[in-house]
Amino acid sequence: MVGREITIAYQEARHLDELPEVYAGLVREARRMALQAYAPYSGFWVGAALLLDDGTCVTGNNQENAASPSGLCAERTALFYAGANYPGTPVRAIAITARNAAGPLRMPVNPCGSCLQVMLETEERSKRPLKVILDGQDSILLIDGVESLLPFNFKPSSLYGEK
Ligand code: THU
């Protein structure tokens, strides 16, 4: 047996103004969307904003339901809207933010496993790394590519036994 290691590289900013304006604008859109999420059951409001290759910004937020499995996360609300309305347009970046009853989260929010899976397939369809921006009040993380967040993953090529 051999021991192996996976290293993840990412950038961290302490303030929004440290980010290139294009990403700062995306985070602002995600924050705006979190405020209008429909999350009466969890009290956890999530916003997502996508930057498409043509400069279009597509946004989403979590949409809950009394029959809980019928709701959807913010990321997938935005990603599926982009897939439905801009099927041929690559997605370059996604910003994600969240707040609870106490206000915006201090630490960056992590996407759930199902959203990571959809982000991975979006990246595959886009044929370029997806920049993932995880927003928190005290720390904003920028990650290049979904594989860093989901290193052992299942993607379209996995269906054919390929890497
Ligand atoms: N949620 C998201 O919108 N995105 C995630 O990645 C994690 C969780 C939502 C789902 C649910 O409405 C609420 O947050 C609490 O789980």
Side-chain angles (χ1 to χ4, degrees):
M1 268 204 303
V2 287
R4 300 194 197 282
E5 242 175 64
I6 293 173
T7 315
I8 297 166
Y10 61 92
Q11 293 172 290
E12 180 177 19
R14 294 280 169 195
H15 301 286
L16 204 53
D17 57 18
E18 289 175 44
L19 265 58
E21 180 46 37
V22 64
Y23 298 139
L26 215 54
V27 170
R28 275 188 225 107
E29 278 298 282
R31 289 180 181 180
R32 184 178 68 77
M33 291 306 290
L35 289 169
Q36 60 192 52
Y38 178 63
Y41 305 104
S42 69
F44 191 74
W45 296 271
V46 187
L50 312 179
L51 177 67
L52 307 193
D53 210 35
D54 63 2
T56 304
C57 179
V58 169
T59 55
N61 49 29
N62 52 331
Q63 296 293 316
E64 297 185 349
N65 194 283
S68 60
S70 304
L72 194 63
C73 291
E75 298 91 319
R76 280 176 289 158
T77 301
L79 288 161
F80 290 153
Y81 184 93
N85 290 281
Y86 305 92
T89 310
V91 183
R92 280 192 172 279
I94 178 169
I96 307 157
T97 195
R99 54 192 298 133
N100 58 23
L105 301 192
R106 304 218 75 83
M107 295 309 292
V109 62
N110 291 321
C112 78
S114 297
C115 288
L116 284 173
Q117 190 66 35
V118 174
M119 286 158 61
L120 183 71
E121 188 129 342
T122 299
E123 184 172 72
E124 292 279 312
R125 288 174 73 178
S126 298
K127 297 188 172 62
R128 66 197 64 190
L130 180 68
K131 176 83 81 180
V132 182
I133 304 157
L134 305 179
D135 179 42
Q137 291 298 294
D138 295 345
S139 166
I140 303 168
L141 307 184
L142 290 89
I143 300 129
D144 258 320
V146 183
E147 290 230 359
S148 291
L149 295 166
L150 200 59
F152 291 96
N153 57 61
F154 193 92
K155 58 181 145 201
S157 58
S158 309
L159 291 168
Y160 308 102
E162 292 161 15
K163 174 92 182 67

